[in-house]
Amino acid sequence: MRILLPFVILNLAFFTGWWISYNQPDLVESSENFVIEQFHNLQGAFKQKNAADPNSNSAQQASPKQEVSVISQKQSHKSSKVRPLVEIDTYKAQTWKLPVELGGIVTPESKVSLFSEAEGTLVSINPKIAAGKIVEKGEELYRIDSPALNNQLLAAQSKVHQAEQALLQTKAQVNTAGEVPGLKTPLHFRQQMLKTQTALLQTAKADLRLAQAYFDRQSIKAPFTARVVDKGLSMGQMLVAGTEIASVFQPESMIVELGLNGENAELLKSNHVNQDNFKIRISRLRGSKVDSFTGRLLSRSGSIDPLTGLESVKIEVSQNNQQDQDTFLLPGERVEVLLGVPTDAELLRLPLALASQNQVYTIKNKRRSDSDLLIAEVERLRLNRVFSDKDFAYFTPSSQTQIQVIETPPTWLLPGHEVRFTEPDRTYSQQEHNTSLAVRQE
């Protein structure tokens, strides 16, 4: 207990001093100035005593220049407590390319569902489907074994064979009927029999073609060059006619669906931005590799969904058959979308740390002090925010297209206080912003 007591007392003293310095800056400033003044008074008395003592070397070495320097240091130190030394940066209103960062889901622009047209057992699945590879037009995707269709085809083939044999027999009888003694068949009757058998053969061949078409339905083929999204079928599974087995889509025709919050939706509708000149970049992270695509604004719903609080937006992805098919976007993948939104109006861009409450501390009534520093009065400036990203906030200028802002002002600083500063040596420009945006897009 005796060991811990000094630490407890030191902590209490520290927190008490911190509380007083934070909540009562004027009291602390007055106390510090009083202590400094008493120190300089004692220092002056000590020097007078040395000057009166003839054996004192310090009195003979003291010079008026040193005394002036001491007084100047005293006044400068005291004034520094009254007027804190701050850093001033200049910000100019100008046009920007606002980086609107969003997340989206990849979906096919259009897709076609495939259904089984036969009842039977699934006996074959194209291995490209499980591998996610692209299949060519006409390539077999699935095969179904249907005993009913097999029997129907065999029966149709048998009927064609029987009709062909019957036609041959009829032709033989027609050609020899007039030569058989005692058989006198009229000519028109023999011709009618031949036409009947010929018609029966044609009917049998039509039934065969129909049976073959139904038989071919056991093989499900790709209607065009596409990727296939399987419905989780397995070999040996029994299927009935009309079962959805997969969907196919063109791999180069993809869109990204995303949602705009209220702030971003209002930004894109406002007259501050150029709505016809968006630059859209889409990034997809697959493993450790990042693939980039360009996009085009396809459609906007134009209204906020009351359930999600977002406006639906669709972006068309630019892909082509010449690029590596393995880099194509796949349905369901999550991507990052960066909208480069150019502004028509000039805006002020400030770091978020300076404008978290849509207000900044600026200066007015500048003048130069005796120590060659500038002195100015603090003024609080409220701004109208248009947009903000993770680093900066953008505002419409009220009356000035260029403002000087106090960087990291003391917490106790209030409008009307005076500060000291040097000439601003930083002015944030469009070139710096464009460089930052280019790095972010890469």
Side-chain angles (χ1 to χ4, degrees):
M1 186 66 181
R2 293 180 179 178
I3 298 175
L4 295 177
L5 186 60
F7 293 100
V8 173
I9 294 174
L10 288 175
N11 286 332
L12 289 174
F14 172 77
F15 283 110
T16 301
W18 174 83
W19 185 89
I20 294 175
S21 64
Y22 184 81
N23 295 276
Q24 301 291 333
D26 295 337
L27 176 61
V28 174
E29 181 180 329
S30 301
S31 302
E32 290 181 349
N33 291 337
F34 176 77
V35 172
I36 292 171
E37 186 176 357
Q38 294 300 318
F39 171 77
H40 286 294
N41 290 337
L42 291 174
Q43 191 177 38
F46 179 75
K47 289 182 178 181
Q48 291 178 1
K49 180 179 179 181
N50 289 339
D53 187 357
N55 296 325
S56 175
N57 294 328
S58 61
Q60 297 174 0
Q61 296 174 356
S63 65
K65 182 177 180 181
Q66 290 177 330
E67 292 179 3
V68 172
S69 176
V70 169
I71 296 174
S72 176
Q73 290 178 2
K74 172 184 174 182
Q75 292 177 348
S76 175
H77 193 78
K78 184 176 180 180
S79 63
S80 68
K81 294 297 179 179
V82 176
R83 302 187 184 100
L85 182 63
V86 297
E87 186 177 358
I88 302 293
D89 285 332
T90 302
Y91 296 88
K92 292 182 178 180
Q94 54 197 46
T95 57
W96 306 94
K97 184 176 289 185
L98 304 181
V100 181
E101 297 179 345
L102 306 166
I105 302 290
V106 179
T107 61
E109 186 173 357
S110 62
K111 61 181 180 179
V112 177
S113 296
L114 302 179
F115 297 86
S116 63
E117 298 183 88
E119 181 177 347
T121 305
L122 184 63
V123 294
S124 174
I125 300 177
N126 192 319
K128 290 184 179 180
I129 297 175
K133 295 183 177 180
I134 295 176
V135 295
E136 300 298 329
K137 179 181 179 180
E139 190 173 350
E140 184 177 80
L141 305 178
Y142 303 90
R143 174 165 286 277
I144 301 172
D145 182 21
S146 175
L149 295 181
N150 294 336
N151 295 334
Q152 184 178 346
L153 180 62
L154 292 175
Q157 291 173 344
S158 178
K159 286 183 179 181
V160 170
H161 179 70
Q162 293 174 5
E164 289 175 343
Q165 294 300 318
L167 179 60
L168 290 176
Q169 293 177 3
T170 301
K171 286 183 177 180
Q173 292 176 359
V174 168
N175 293 333
T176 59
E179 301 175 0
V180 178
L183 182 60
K184 297 181 180 179
T185 305
L187 179 61
H188 69 88
F189 181 72
R190 286 179 286 171
Q191 293 176 345
Q192 185 64 35
M193 289 177 60
L194 185 61
K195 290 180 180 179
T196 300
Q197 290 301 327
T198 303
L200 289 175
L201 178 59
Q202 296 299 325
T203 301
K205 288 183 176 180
D207 291 341
L208 177 60
R209 288 193 296 270
L210 182 61
Q212 184 67 51
Y214 279 110
F215 179 84
D216 292 340
R217 291 179 179 180
Q218 296 178 105
S219 176
I220 301 173
K221 299 179 180 181
F224 47 80
T225 301
R227 286 188 190 271
V228 183
V229 180
D230 187 60
K231 297 298 182 181
L233 302 181
S234 58
M235 298 282 287
Q237 183 174 343
M238 290 296 298
L239 301 176
V240 297
T243 302
E244 185 178 4
I245 58 178
S247 61
V248 294
F249 60 90
Q250 293 179 321
E252 67 275 10
S253 300
M254 307 297 289
I255 62 174
V256 176
E257 295 182 345
L258 49 88
L260 292 175
N261 59 27
E263 181 183 7
N264 291 335
E266 289 298 324
L267 171 68
L268 298 186
K269 290 189 298 185
S270 69
N271 55 5
H272 299 297
V273 302
N274 186 342
Q275 302 184 21
D276 300 326
N277 196 21
F278 291 172
K279 300 296 183 182
I280 302 177
R281 181 169 294 277
I282 301 165
S283 301
R284 186 266 315 277
L285 177 63
R286 185 182 287 174
S288 59
K289 183 181 178 182
V290 178
D291 297 313
S292 296
F293 309 84
T294 58
R296 180 180 67 88
L297 185 61
L298 188 63
S299 65
R300 293 177 57 187
S301 64
S303 60
I304 301 294
D305 187 337
L307 296 179
T308 62
L310 301 174
E311 178 186 350
S312 177
V313 176
K314 293 183 179 180
I315 295 174
E316 183 182 43
V317 184
S318 297
Q319 300 183 115
N320 55 69
N321 292 325
Q322 281 69 39
Q323 70 184 84
D324 186 2
Q325 295 179 350
D326 292 335
T327 65
F328 281 175
L329 292 172
L330 297 177
E333 285 189 311
R334 305 189 71 88
V335 294
E336 298 295 327
V337 180
L338 177 62
L339 303 180
V341 183
T343 64
D344 285 336
E346 293 186 341
L347 302 175
L348 289 168
R349 190 189 76 162
L350 303 176
L352 281 178
L354 288 182
S356 59
Q357 302 297 326
N358 293 343
Q359 61 183 16
V360 294
Y361 284 103
T362 182
I363 54 175
K364 64 178 182 179
N365 301 331
K366 292 189 296 183
R367 65 183 187 278
R368 190 168 297 276
S369 66
D370 297 337
S371 59
D372 205 30
L373 290 174
L374 291 173
I375 298 176
E377 185 179 342
V378 177
E379 181 181 23
R380 179 158 39 197
L381 182 62
R382 297 190 180 275
L383 302 171
N384 180 30
R385 181 179 302 199
V386 174
F387 170 76
S388 59
D389 56 26
K390 62 181 181 180
D391 299 315
F392 299 98
Y394 299 80
F395 303 90
T396 55
S398 54
S399 57
Q400 307 175 24
T401 59
Q402 177 174 308
I403 60 173
Q404 292 181 318
V405 179
I406 301 176
E407 298 282 348
T408 60
T411 55
W412 50 267
L413 194 65
L414 294 175
H417 286 183
E418 289 187 341
V419 293
R420 298 177 303 145
F421 62 96
T422 58
E423 288 289 352
D425 57 355
R426 289 186 298 180
T427 300
Y428 293 93
S429 64
Q430 175 70 47
Q431 181 180 2
E432 176 188 352
H433 169 76
N434 290 340
T435 302
S436 174
L437 182 61
V439 170
R440 186 179 304 180
Q441 289 179 338
E442 292 175 358

mmCIF file of all heavy atoms in Angstrom, residues 166-195:
data_model
loop_
_atom_site.group_PDB
_atom_site.id
_atom_site.type_symbol
_atom_site.label_atom_id
_atom_site.label_comp_id
_atom_site.label_asym_id
_atom_site.label_seq_id
_atom_site.Cartn_x
_atom_site.Cartn_y
_atom_site.Cartn_z
ATOM 1 N N ALA A 166 -44.127 -53.599 -97.947
ATOM 2 C CA ALA A 166 -45.486 -53.676 -98.510
ATOM 3 C C ALA A 166 -45.564 -52.951 -99.857
ATOM 4 O O ALA A 166 -46.246 -53.407 -100.794
ATOM 5 C CB ALA A 166 -46.480 -53.078 -97.524
ATOM 6 N N LEU A 167 -44.833 -51.842 -99.986
ATOM 7 C CA LEU A 167 -44.850 -51.107 -101.241
ATOM 8 C C LEU A 167 -44.187 -51.921 -102.349
ATOM 9 O O LEU A 167 -44.663 -51.950 -103.506
ATOM 10 C CB LEU A 167 -44.148 -49.759 -101.071
ATOM 11 C CG LEU A 167 -44.073 -48.878 -102.326
ATOM 12 C CD1 LEU A 167 -45.481 -48.540 -102.826
ATOM 13 C CD2 LEU A 167 -43.299 -47.600 -102.028
ATOM 14 N N LEU A 168 -43.090 -52.608 -102.009
ATOM 15 C CA LEU A 168 -42.420 -53.432 -103.005
ATOM 16 C C LEU A 168 -43.330 -54.567 -103.489
ATOM 17 O O LEU A 168 -43.403 -54.877 -104.692
ATOM 18 C CB LEU A 168 -41.128 -54.007 -102.427
ATOM 19 C CG LEU A 168 -39.988 -53.007 -102.183
ATOM 20 C CD1 LEU A 168 -38.811 -53.692 -101.514
ATOM 21 C CD2 LEU A 168 -39.562 -52.358 -103.483
ATOM 22 N N GLN A 169 -44.060 -55.196 -102.551
ATOM 23 C CA GLN A 169 -44.975 -56.267 -102.922
ATOM 24 C C GLN A 169 -46.115 -55.749 -103.802
ATOM 25 O O GLN A 169 -46.509 -56.375 -104.792
ATOM 26 C CB GLN A 169 -45.543 -56.942 -101.664
ATOM 27 C CG GLN A 169 -44.502 -57.700 -100.856
ATOM 28 C CD GLN A 169 -45.072 -58.284 -99.587
ATOM 29 O OE1 GLN A 169 -46.292 -58.182 -99.310
ATOM 30 N NE2 GLN A 169 -44.218 -58.926 -98.788
ATOM 31 N N THR A 170 -46.628 -54.578 -103.459
ATOM 32 C CA THR A 170 -47.725 -53.996 -104.243
ATOM 33 C C THR A 170 -47.265 -53.682 -105.656
ATOM 34 O O THR A 170 -47.982 -53.909 -106.637
ATOM 35 C CB THR A 170 -48.256 -52.724 -103.557
ATOM 36 O OG1 THR A 170 -48.710 -53.058 -102.256
ATOM 37 C CG2 THR A 170 -49.414 -52.121 -104.345
ATOM 38 N N LYS A 171 -46.055 -53.129 -105.799
ATOM 39 C CA LYS A 171 -45.527 -52.832 -107.133
ATOM 40 C C LYS A 171 -45.382 -54.108 -107.966
ATOM 41 O O LYS A 171 -45.681 -54.134 -109.165
ATOM 42 C CB LYS A 171 -44.170 -52.141 -107.017
ATOM 43 C CG LYS A 171 -44.248 -50.692 -106.570
ATOM 44 C CD LYS A 171 -42.862 -50.068 -106.543
ATOM 45 C CE LYS A 171 -42.942 -48.592 -106.173
ATOM 46 N NZ LYS A 171 -41.601 -47.970 -106.149
ATOM 47 N N ALA A 172 -44.939 -55.194 -107.278
ATOM 48 C CA ALA A 172 -44.778 -56.452 -108.004
ATOM 49 C C ALA A 172 -46.126 -56.996 -108.468
ATOM 50 O O ALA A 172 -46.276 -57.489 -109.594
ATOM 51 C CB ALA A 172 -44.065 -57.473 -107.140
ATOM 52 N N GLN A 173 -47.127 -56.908 -107.601
ATOM 53 C CA GLN A 173 -48.453 -57.394 -107.972
ATOM 54 C C GLN A 173 -49.053 -56.551 -109.085
ATOM 55 O O GLN A 173 -49.707 -57.066 -110.003
ATOM 56 C CB GLN A 173 -49.376 -57.380 -106.750
ATOM 57 C CG GLN A 173 -49.000 -58.384 -105.688
ATOM 58 C CD GLN A 173 -49.879 -58.259 -104.449
ATOM 59 O OE1 GLN A 173 -50.770 -57.406 -104.384
ATOM 60 N NE2 GLN A 173 -49.620 -59.132 -103.471
ATOM 61 N N VAL A 174 -48.855 -55.262 -109.058
ATOM 62 C CA VAL A 174 -49.418 -54.385 -110.089
ATOM 63 C C VAL A 174 -48.794 -54.710 -111.446
ATOM 64 O O VAL A 174 -49.460 -54.740 -112.489
ATOM 65 C CB VAL A 174 -49.207 -52.912 -109.724
ATOM 66 C CG1 VAL A 174 -49.514 -51.999 -110.917
ATOM 67 C CG2 VAL A 174 -50.063 -52.561 -108.539
ATOM 68 N N ASN A 175 -47.471 -54.942 -111.442
ATOM 69 C CA ASN A 175 -46.778 -55.196 -112.700
ATOM 70 C C ASN A 175 -47.113 -56.561 -113.287
ATOM 71 O O ASN A 175 -47.049 -56.767 -114.504
ATOM 72 C CB ASN A 175 -45.266 -55.092 -112.503
ATOM 73 C CG ASN A 175 -44.839 -53.669 -112.169
ATOM 74 O OD1 ASN A 175 -45.515 -52.710 -112.562
ATOM 75 N ND2 ASN A 175 -43.740 -53.548 -111.457
ATOM 76 N N THR A 176 -47.518 -57.537 -112.444
ATOM 77 C CA THR A 176 -47.760 -58.901 -112.937
ATOM 78 C C THR A 176 -49.230 -59.267 -112.952
ATOM 79 O O THR A 176 -49.590 -60.365 -113.349
ATOM 80 C CB THR A 176 -47.031 -59.917 -112.049
ATOM 81 O OG1 THR A 176 -47.500 -59.806 -110.700
ATOM 82 C CG2 THR A 176 -45.524 -59.683 -112.112
ATOM 83 N N ALA A 177 -50.115 -58.383 -112.505
ATOM 84 C CA ALA A 177 -51.533 -58.738 -112.383
ATOM 85 C C ALA A 177 -52.152 -59.051 -113.734
ATOM 86 O O ALA A 177 -53.001 -59.948 -113.861
ATOM 87 C CB ALA A 177 -52.294 -57.603 -111.711
ATOM 88 N N GLY A 178 -51.777 -58.372 -114.793
ATOM 89 C CA GLY A 178 -52.375 -58.601 -116.109
ATOM 90 C C GLY A 178 -51.908 -59.882 -116.769
ATOM 91 O O GLY A 178 -52.477 -60.331 -117.740
ATOM 92 N N GLU A 179 -50.846 -60.517 -116.248
ATOM 93 C CA GLU A 179 -50.279 -61.696 -116.867
ATOM 94 C C GLU A 179 -50.719 -62.995 -116.195
ATOM 95 O O GLU A 179 -50.448 -64.084 -116.687
ATOM 96 C CB GLU A 179 -48.746 -61.608 -116.829
ATOM 97 C CG GLU A 179 -48.191 -60.377 -117.537
ATOM 98 C CD GLU A 179 -46.687 -60.266 -117.377
ATOM 99 O OE1 GLU A 179 -46.105 -61.158 -116.723
ATOM 100 O OE2 GLU A 179 -46.106 -59.287 -117.893
ATOM 101 N N VAL A 180 -51.381 -62.938 -115.078
ATOM 102 C CA VAL A 180 -51.836 -64.145 -114.385
ATOM 103 C C VAL A 180 -53.128 -64.625 -115.028
ATOM 104 O O VAL A 180 -54.087 -63.851 -115.113
ATOM 105 C CB VAL A 180 -52.058 -63.858 -112.884
ATOM 106 C CG1 VAL A 180 -52.579 -65.094 -112.189
ATOM 107 C CG2 VAL A 180 -50.734 -63.391 -112.265
ATOM 108 N N PRO A 181 -53.162 -65.882 -115.490
ATOM 109 C CA PRO A 181 -54.401 -66.371 -116.124
ATOM 110 C C PRO A 181 -55.580 -66.375 -115.157
ATOM 111 O O PRO A 181 -55.431 -66.781 -113.998
ATOM 112 C CB PRO A 181 -54.030 -67.795 -116.537
ATOM 113 C CG PRO A 181 -52.533 -67.805 -116.598
ATOM 114 C CD PRO A 181 -52.064 -66.861 -115.558
ATOM 115 N N GLY A 182 -56.689 -65.904 -115.573
ATOM 116 C CA GLY A 182 -57.902 -65.874 -114.771
ATOM 117 C C GLY A 182 -58.012 -64.682 -113.847
ATOM 118 O O GLY A 182 -59.033 -64.478 -113.202
ATOM 119 N N LEU A 183 -56.879 -63.867 -113.657
ATOM 120 C CA LEU A 183 -56.909 -62.687 -112.776
ATOM 121 C C LEU A 183 -57.075 -61.452 -113.642
ATOM 122 O O LEU A 183 -56.156 -61.103 -114.398
ATOM 123 C CB LEU A 183 -55.627 -62.610 -111.953
ATOM 124 C CG LEU A 183 -55.530 -61.451 -110.947
ATOM 125 C CD1 LEU A 183 -56.659 -61.545 -109.923
ATOM 126 C CD2 LEU A 183 -54.178 -61.434 -110.246
ATOM 127 N N LYS A 184 -58.215 -60.903 -113.557
ATOM 128 C CA LYS A 184 -58.495 -59.708 -114.366
ATOM 129 C C LYS A 184 -58.820 -58.535 -113.448
ATOM 130 O O LYS A 184 -59.963 -58.291 -113.103
ATOM 131 C CB LYS A 184 -59.656 -59.984 -115.314
ATOM 132 C CG LYS A 184 -59.361 -61.082 -116.325
ATOM 133 C CD LYS A 184 -60.523 -61.278 -117.238
ATOM 134 C CE LYS A 184 -60.220 -62.391 -118.269
ATOM 135 N NZ LYS A 184 -61.371 -62.638 -119.197
ATOM 136 N N THR A 185 -57.754 -57.852 -112.912
ATOM 137 C CA THR A 185 -57.928 -56.702 -112.024
ATOM 138 C C THR A 185 -57.943 -55.443 -112.862
ATOM 139 O O THR A 185 -57.042 -55.256 -113.708
ATOM 140 C CB THR A 185 -56.778 -56.600 -111.007
ATOM 141 O OG1 THR A 185 -56.692 -57.839 -110.315
ATOM 142 C CG2 THR A 185 -57.023 -55.469 -110.032
ATOM 143 N N PRO A 186 -58.916 -54.592 -112.669
ATOM 144 C CA PRO A 186 -58.963 -53.356 -113.472
ATOM 145 C C PRO A 186 -57.708 -52.524 -113.246
ATOM 146 O O PRO A 186 -57.103 -52.492 -112.156
ATOM 147 C CB PRO A 186 -60.207 -52.638 -112.961
ATOM 148 C CG PRO A 186 -61.027 -53.704 -112.329
ATOM 149 C CD PRO A 186 -60.071 -54.715 -111.784
ATOM 150 N N LEU A 187 -57.266 -51.817 -114.236
ATOM 151 C CA LEU A 187 -56.049 -51.006 -114.174
ATOM 152 C C LEU A 187 -56.152 -49.911 -113.120
ATOM 153 O O LEU A 187 -55.216 -49.659 -112.371
ATOM 154 C CB LEU A 187 -55.768 -50.405 -115.554
ATOM 155 C CG LEU A 187 -54.529 -49.509 -115.643
ATOM 156 C CD1 LEU A 187 -53.272 -50.293 -115.284
ATOM 157 C CD2 LEU A 187 -54.407 -48.903 -117.041
ATOM 158 N N HIS A 188 -57.283 -49.259 -113.025
ATOM 159 C CA HIS A 188 -57.426 -48.138 -112.064
ATOM 160 C C HIS A 188 -57.362 -48.645 -110.631
ATOM 161 O O HIS A 188 -56.901 -47.972 -109.719
ATOM 162 C CB HIS A 188 -58.747 -47.396 -112.319
ATOM 163 C CG HIS A 188 -59.969 -48.183 -111.982
ATOM 164 N ND1 HIS A 188 -60.527 -48.202 -110.742
ATOM 165 C CD2 HIS A 188 -60.737 -49.012 -112.773
ATOM 166 C CE1 HIS A 188 -61.591 -48.991 -110.746
ATOM 167 N NE2 HIS A 188 -61.738 -49.498 -111.990
ATOM 168 N N PHE A 189 -57.822 -49.909 -110.400
ATOM 169 C CA PHE A 189 -57.769 -50.467 -109.052
ATOM 170 C C PHE A 189 -56.325 -50.761 -108.667
ATOM 171 O O PHE A 189 -55.892 -50.534 -107.529
ATOM 172 C CB PHE A 189 -58.626 -51.736 -108.987
ATOM 173 C CG PHE A 189 -58.652 -52.357 -107.627
ATOM 174 C CD1 PHE A 189 -59.347 -51.778 -106.572
ATOM 175 C CD2 PHE A 189 -57.940 -53.539 -107.385
ATOM 176 C CE1 PHE A 189 -59.343 -52.366 -105.328
ATOM 177 C CE2 PHE A 189 -57.959 -54.117 -106.128
ATOM 178 C CZ PHE A 189 -58.664 -53.525 -105.091
ATOM 179 N N ARG A 190 -55.521 -51.252 -109.612
ATOM 180 C CA ARG A 190 -54.117 -51.529 -109.328
ATOM 181 C C ARG A 190 -53.352 -50.233 -109.048
ATOM 182 O O ARG A 190 -52.493 -50.161 -108.159
ATOM 183 C CB ARG A 190 -53.502 -52.256 -110.519
ATOM 184 C CG ARG A 190 -53.950 -53.719 -110.640
ATOM 185 C CD ARG A 190 -53.339 -54.354 -111.841
ATOM 186 N NE ARG A 190 -53.976 -53.870 -113.059
ATOM 187 C CZ ARG A 190 -53.520 -54.124 -114.285
ATOM 188 N NH1 ARG A 190 -52.384 -54.780 -114.434
ATOM 189 N NH2 ARG A 190 -54.152 -53.679 -115.347
ATOM 190 N N GLN A 191 -53.654 -49.191 -109.769
ATOM 191 C CA GLN A 191 -53.021 -47.893 -109.515
ATOM 192 C C GLN A 191 -53.404 -47.327 -108.157
ATOM 193 O O GLN A 191 -52.587 -46.704 -107.469
ATOM 194 C CB GLN A 191 -53.398 -46.921 -110.644
ATOM 195 C CG GLN A 191 -52.803 -47.293 -111.995
ATOM 196 C CD GLN A 191 -53.273 -46.365 -113.091
ATOM 197 O OE1 GLN A 191 -54.248 -45.619 -112.911
ATOM 198 N NE2 GLN A 191 -52.601 -46.426 -114.258
ATOM 199 N N GLN A 192 -54.653 -47.539 -107.724
ATOM 200 C CA GLN A 192 -55.103 -47.047 -106.422
ATOM 201 C C GLN A 192 -54.358 -47.772 -105.296
ATOM 202 O O GLN A 192 -53.986 -47.167 -104.299
ATOM 203 C CB GLN A 192 -56.614 -47.241 -106.291
ATOM 204 C CG GLN A 192 -57.200 -46.650 -105.008
ATOM 205 C CD GLN A 192 -57.054 -45.131 -104.965
ATOM 206 O OE1 GLN A 192 -57.144 -44.475 -106.004
ATOM 207 N NE2 GLN A 192 -56.805 -44.590 -103.791
ATOM 208 N N MET A 193 -54.154 -49.070 -105.438
ATOM 209 C CA MET A 193 -53.414 -49.829 -104.421
ATOM 210 C C MET A 193 -51.977 -49.300 -104.291
ATOM 211 O O MET A 193 -51.430 -49.184 -103.201
ATOM 212 C CB MET A 193 -53.398 -51.309 -104.807
ATOM 213 C CG MET A 193 -54.747 -52.015 -104.669
ATOM 214 S SD MET A 193 -54.661 -53.727 -105.211
ATOM 215 C CE MET A 193 -53.425 -54.371 -104.101
ATOM 216 N N LEU A 194 -51.362 -48.971 -105.431
ATOM 217 C CA LEU A 194 -49.997 -48.442 -105.410
ATOM 218 C C LEU A 194 -49.929 -47.095 -104.698
ATOM 219 O O LEU A 194 -49.013 -46.835 -103.906
ATOM 220 C CB LEU A 194 -49.488 -48.319 -106.849
ATOM 221 C CG LEU A 194 -48.025 -47.890 -107.012
ATOM 222 C CD1 LEU A 194 -47.096 -48.900 -106.355
ATOM 223 C CD2 LEU A 194 -47.688 -47.715 -108.487
ATOM 224 N N LYS A 195 -50.890 -46.227 -104.960
ATOM 225 C CA LYS A 195 -50.917 -44.924 -104.270
ATOM 226 C C LYS A 195 -51.110 -45.084 -102.767
ATOM 227 O O LYS A 195 -50.509 -44.361 -101.973
ATOM 228 C CB LYS A 195 -52.039 -44.070 -104.856
ATOM 229 C CG LYS A 195 -51.782 -43.598 -106.285
ATOM 230 C CD LYS A 195 -52.947 -42.751 -106.781
ATOM 231 C CE LYS A 195 -52.706 -42.258 -108.205
ATOM 232 N NZ LYS A 195 -53.847 -41.436 -108.708
#
